[in-house]
Structures are given as structure tokens and as C-alpha cells.
């Protein structure tokens, strides 16, 4: 019979909570503020460019939001739901194409076609999010145009250009959004 060795005594380890230095907190805050400012300015510039290039569609979206705000909001939410369904259908379709490509790769002659199908199947997922992003941006620019018109009317600016009202509205909306960032 072998006697058991006594269990080693492990001294207790004191765990001290990590306190982040103030310099790291400040650096993280400055980094976030800087990135929010840069992204905000990019969105403002992009919105003004859209308003400059597509003035009539922007005004149509703006007048639609003004005439039917609840319906416009509901249509936006419905669009998100539709996009989720379309992305799911596109993912299933992509899996079918990949399975077909895998079957083609099983033959020696059709390997290039199967590989090409596999690479191109990823493109099935791209159009729906791109269209959603385009619609979201157009809606945002239309809302910015409406807000800019209201602000310019409140300031009694009569001969404002559409790009100017979009600029004012984008500065307002982007300022609000980046403050939450």
C-alpha cells in the first residue's frame, strides 16, 4: 500500500480589479469622437452629393415623407422585413448553386465551370443589401431635405437651394446620430 502524498498547499491569490488609466479612457473617447466626426462629415458630403445629382427624386421623397409620415415609416419597416426574407431566399439559392457546383466538380471536365459557379454564387447575396442601403440613404437625404426646408422657413430664408436645405438637414440629422455614437 502506497501512502498518499499530502495535497500541496496553494496560497490564496488576491485578485485586484483592473482600473483603466485615465489616459486610456481619454484616448478611447477622443478616438470615438474623431471617428464619429469623420464618418458624419462623409455622410453629410454624400448626402449633399446625392441631393446635387438627384434633386427631383430627393424632393419627391421629401414631399412623400411630409404628406404621409406614418405610411413612409411603415413602408421603411416593411422594406427591412422584405429584405430579410429576400436575403434568406438568396442564401438558400446560393447553397443550391454551391451544391450544383460541387456536383460539377465531381467530373474532371467540368471542374472549371464548378469552381466558377462557386465563386459567382457569392454575388447572389450582394444586390439586396446594396439596394437596401441605397434606399436608406435616399430616405435619409429626403428626410434631411424636409428638415432643412423647415429650418430655413423658420429662419425666414426664402431663396434657398435644394442642396442648401439638404446640407442643413444632414448637419442636423448626422449631428444627432453621431452624438449617440
Amino acid at each position: 500500500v502506497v501512502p498518499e502524498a499530502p495535497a500541496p498547499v496553494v496560497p490564496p491569490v488576491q485578485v485586484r480589479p483592473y482600473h483603466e488609466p485615465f489616459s486610456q479612457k481619454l484616448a478611447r473617447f477622443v478616438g470615438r469622437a474623431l471617428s464619429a466626426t469623420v464618418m458624419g462629415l462623409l455622410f453629410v458630403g454624400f448626402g449633399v452629393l446625392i441631393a446635387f445629382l438627384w434633386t427631383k427624386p430627393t424632393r419627391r421623397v421629401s414631399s412623400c415623407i411630409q404628406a404621409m409620415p406614418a405610411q413612409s415609416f411603415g413602408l421603411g419597416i416593411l422594406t427591412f422585413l422584405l429584405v430579410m426574407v429576400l436575403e434568406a431566399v438568396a442564401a438558400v439559392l446560393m447553397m443550391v448553386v454551391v451544391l450544383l457546383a460541387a456536383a460539377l466538380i465531381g467530373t474532371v471536365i467540368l471542374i472549371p465551370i464548378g469552381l466558377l459557379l462557386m465563386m459567382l454564387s457569392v454575388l447572389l447575396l450582394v444586390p439586396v443589401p446594396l439596394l437596401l442601403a441605397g434606399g436608406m440613404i435616399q430616405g435619409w437625404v429626403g428626410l434631411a431635405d424636409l428638415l432643412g426646408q423647415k429650418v430655413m422657413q423658420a429662419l425666414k430664408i426664402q431663396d434657398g437651394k435644394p442642396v442648401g436645405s439638404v446640407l442643413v438637414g444632414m448637419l442636423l440629422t448626422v449631428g444627432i446620430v453621431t452624438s449617440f455614437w
Side-chain angles (χ1 to χ4, degrees), residues 21-91:
F22 178 73
S23 60
Q24 281 184 343
K25 289 179 184 178
L26 181 65
R28 186 171 46 245
F29 174 76
V30 169
R32 285 182 179 176
L34 187 62
S35 65
T37 303
V38 169
M39 287 299 290
L41 290 175
L42 284 173
F43 271 109
V44 168
F46 194 56
V48 168
L49 179 66
I50 287 173
F52 180 73
L53 294 176
W54 295 296
T55 304
K56 286 183 182 179
T58 301
R59 283 292 163 120
R60 270 197 312 262
V61 171
S62 175
S63 63
C64 180
I65 292 172
Q66 184 176 13
M68 300 179 290
Q71 292 92 336
S72 298
F73 181 75
L75 187 61
I77 298 297
L78 186 63
T79 302
F80 273 105
L81 295 174
L82 181 66
V83 163
M84 288 191 308
V85 170
L86 286 176
E87 262 316 280
V89 169

Side-chain angles (χ1 to χ4, degrees), residues 65-139:
I65 292 172
Q66 184 176 13
M68 300 179 290
Q71 292 92 336
S72 298
F73 181 75
L75 187 61
I77 298 297
L78 186 63
T79 302
F80 273 105
L81 295 174
L82 181 66
V83 163
M84 288 191 308
V85 170
L86 286 176
E87 262 316 280
V89 169
V92 169
L93 186 61
M94 183 182 118
M95 287 187 263
V96 168
V97 170
V98 167
L99 287 174
L100 176 69
L104 291 175
I105 289 175
T107 65
V108 174
I109 296 174
L110 297 176
I111 289 176
I113 295 173
L115 291 174
L116 183 65
L117 272 176
M118 278 191 178
M119 288 188 291
L120 292 178
S121 68
V122 177
L123 295 178
L124 289 172
L125 297 176
V126 173
V128 174
L130 283 179
L131 289 173
L132 177 66
M136 284 174 47
I137 291 170
Q138 185 65 37

Side-chain angles (χ1 to χ4, degrees), residues 51-52 55 58-59 145 149 152 160-168:
F52 180 73
T55 304
T58 301
R59 283 292 163 120
D145 183 33
Q149 288 175 18
M152 291 173 80
K161 304 275 186 207
V163 175
S165 64
V166 168
L167 176 63
V168 169

